[in-house]
Amino acid sequence: ATKTPVSDDFIGSVLSACQAKGLIIGRNGDTVPGYNNVLIIAPPLTSTEDDLKFVVRTVKEVLSELK
């Protein structure tokens, strides 16, 4: 792991791959000026444990696939 910020293209790839798997997430551009590289995951308060497991599993799969 590194603390080097990932590129805007990489974040775009993560967002696209998650969406293709049925998970819609966003990004926050205000956290680190100029990088726009923080993922926003905001599930509804009514999410079930299975819903949350899907979110975690999907993000982990996508990050592993895009390494």
Side-chain angles (χ1 to χ4, degrees):
T2 175
K3 291 188 177 189
T4 303
V6 297
S7 70
D8 189 50
D9 290 339
F10 182 79
I11 291 296
S13 296
V14 170
L15 295 174
S16 295
C18 284
Q19 185 175 6
K21 293 176 180 279
L23 176 63
I24 299 174
I25 59 176
R27 68 168 96 189
N28 181 342
D30 297 334
T31 307
V32 180
Y35 286 103
N36 197 23
N37 65 354
V38 176
L39 297 175
I40 302 297
I41 300 171
L45 294 175
T46 58
S47 297
T48 65
E49 186 172 342
D50 286 340
D51 293 335
L52 299 176
K53 286 179 180 180
F54 168 74
V55 171
V56 172
R57 183 179 65 247
T58 302
V59 172
K60 286 174 88 172
E61 285 175 5
V62 165
L63 292 174
S64 291
E65 291 168 3
L66 295 176
K67 268 188 184 179

